Each structure stands twice: as C-alpha cells, then as structure tokens.
Amino acid sequence: MSEIVQYAHRGSAAVVTINRPDRRNALSRALIAELTEAFLRASTDPDARSVILTGTGPAFCAGMDLDELRGTLGDGADVVWDDAAKLSALYELIYTLPKPTIAAVNGAAVAGGAGLVSVCDLAVSVPDAKFGYPEVRRGLVAAMVMPHLLRHVGERAARYLLLTGELIDAVEALHLRFINAVTNPDRLMDAADAWAKSLGEGGPKALTTTKDLLRRCSPRAMSVEELARGSAEPRLTEECRHGLTAFFEKKPAPWAPK
C-alpha cells in the first residue's frame, strides 16, 4: 500500500486506514484506486476474517476531493463518468465483499465518506463525528449511495438527509440506525476489535453466504452503472459549476435564499 492507504492486521482482522489527514481523508482518484486495491487484497487475505475501515486525523472521510473535482469541471463527459464509475465500483466492492466489514468512524463522514460507512456491514463512531450528504447544496447528487442509505434509515430519514443536506451527529445517526454504536475515541478500535473477534467465531463460508443472501434479499431498483451515471451527469451542468465556484469562493450558491 502507498502512504495514503495503510494495510495492517489486528488479531483476525485486516485494518484499512485512510491516511490523508491534511485533506481530511478526501476521496481523490489515487485514494479510490488504493482503497480498491486494499479491499481486493483483504478479500483473499488468508489472515483476515473481517476488515476494519478507519481514518487518521480528525475526519473519517470528508467526501470527494473538491479541489480535484474542480479541476474536472471543464473536462469531457468521459472523464467525469469514469471517475463516478470507479467510486461506484469501490462501494459495490465493499458492500459485496465476502468478508464482514466494520467502519470505525474516527471523525466526520460526509458525502462520499458517509457512503463508505453505509456500505460497511457494521459501524461504530466517536461521539463528535458528523454524518450527512451536502451534495445538493453544491449542485451535485448523491445518487450512488442512495440504495445503501435507504437500507439503513428508510425513506423518510433518507429524504431529509439527501434533500436538505443537513449534517447529523453520532447520537442522531445511532437513533436512525445508520450506525450501530457510539464510543469514546480511546475505545474506538477496541470496539472494532471486539466485533472482529465476534465475527471470527462465525464459519467463513457461513458468513459469506449470509452476506450474499442479505444482499439478494435487499431490493435495488437501479443498477450500479445507472447510479454512477446519476452521480456523474449533474457534474456536467452549469448548476454544479456555479455551486462549486460559490463553495470555493465561500459565497452562497446563486440559488440560495437571499
């Protein structure tokens, strides 16, 4: 692994750590590629019965790297769609991984970062973490995470989070069943370790089959490719360009109430 993704073992679990604290662990192209490589490695790692995903610094993952995203605003559709397809494929890889996955949320998990939490099987968070999908406030659409969010919180809560762009704290995320537990920062990895130990008591084939059946029991109206396109297409619009420009200039978006 490179410096931006660390791969290690804790007991029977593989630990994948996002290590871009200076960028709040934002999802750059390089990071998406490295995370994909790490989870592919974990899927066949004989020493890993489960996988823990966490981050370094004050944030778990702040979502897409907006500086990198700004650089694509003048690019053609092929570049934008390729970026969306790779992130969507990463979500699908984690969601369908044959081994149980645990998100150990060390800080804010926003936009694409909240997406990473939603595709893990279990999630434990520190109390100060924030969760949410502010994409609409920038003229973007959180399309590819919608089915995963809906599975956890239901349509009423999903509509609130996706349409308002508001952030919620860990207590509210627990109340909505977006996460499973909240614990103090110094106990975060201990909590993840305890779950990993419990998961290790399950038969490997039984766990894989259970995950597959859960996936098949959960209906999905749209394909991974359709969801990726739904996320990519808004990035090609003037609305998105105006929204991101306003964000970087620290001004209200042009459609915001005066």
Side-chain angles (χ1 to χ4, degrees):
M1 292 286 94
S2 72
E3 293 184 357
I4 61 174
V5 172
Q6 300 170 343
Y7 189 97
H9 292 92
R10 285 174 66 100
S12 62
V15 180
V16 177
T17 304
I18 306 172
N19 187 38
R20 293 188 78 204
D22 56 318
R23 301 295 301 162
R24 295 179 60 78
N25 294 332
L27 289 164
S28 63
R29 290 189 185 100
L31 179 56
I32 291 168
E34 292 286 350
L35 283 173
T36 299
E37 181 182 337
F39 276 93
L40 286 172
R41 175 180 172 182
S43 69
T44 58
D45 184 346
D47 296 322
R49 294 292 311 282
S50 59
V51 187
I52 299 170
L53 176 62
T54 192
T56 58
F60 174 79
C61 177
M64 290 299 293
D65 187 323
L66 292 182
D67 281 332
E68 190 173 89
L69 179 59
R70 177 166 56 173
T72 70
L73 291 181
D75 291 340
D78 288 347
V79 173
V80 173
W81 287 337
D82 184 63
D83 285 346
K86 287 177 178 175
L87 179 57
S88 186
L90 172 61
Y91 287 148
E92 190 69 4
L93 170 63
I94 298 172
Y95 178 59
T96 60
L97 205 76
K99 300 176 181 181
T101 53
I102 302 166
V105 185
N106 57 294
V110 179
L116 287 175
V117 177
S118 73
V119 294
C120 288
D121 297 307
L122 303 173
V124 57
S125 170
V126 298
D128 292 340
K130 299 291 185 183
F131 302 86
Y133 302 86
E135 283 91 335
V136 290
R137 297 187 175 191
R138 299 163 191 164
L140 295 164
V141 175
M144 63 183 74
V145 302
M146 286 183 185
H148 305 293
L149 177 63
L150 282 164
R151 273 192 291 268
H152 295 299
V153 305
E155 188 169 342
R156 179 66 72 186
R159 284 178 179 271
Y160 171 77
L161 290 168
L162 294 168
L163 294 175
T164 69
E166 293 283 354
L167 302 184
I168 59 174
D169 61 20
V171 172
E172 182 65 12
L174 179 63
H175 175 72
L176 293 176
R177 299 181 180 177
F178 185 73
I179 60 176
N180 300 96
V182 179
T183 191
N184 291 331
D186 60 351
R187 294 282 302 163
L188 180 67
M189 293 307 294
D190 289 339
D193 287 343
W195 283 350
K197 183 178 179 181
S198 178
L199 291 165
E201 295 177 2
K205 291 182 180 179
L207 289 169
T208 297
T209 300
T210 298
K211 285 197 59 172
D212 182 60
L213 289 171
L214 284 167
R215 177 188 60 80
R216 290 161 61 189
C217 286
S218 181
R220 177 185 291 177
M222 299 177 68
S223 68
V224 174
E225 292 75 19
E226 288 173 311
L227 291 166
R229 183 173 291 271
S231 181
E233 287 180 339
R235 288 170 53 183
L236 300 170
T237 66
E238 286 298 317
E239 180 173 286
C240 177
R241 293 186 180 93
H242 292 320
L244 285 174
T245 298
F247 175 78
F248 285 114
E249 293 178 355
K250 298 183 176 3
K251 296 178 180 178
W255 55 79
K258 302 299 183 182

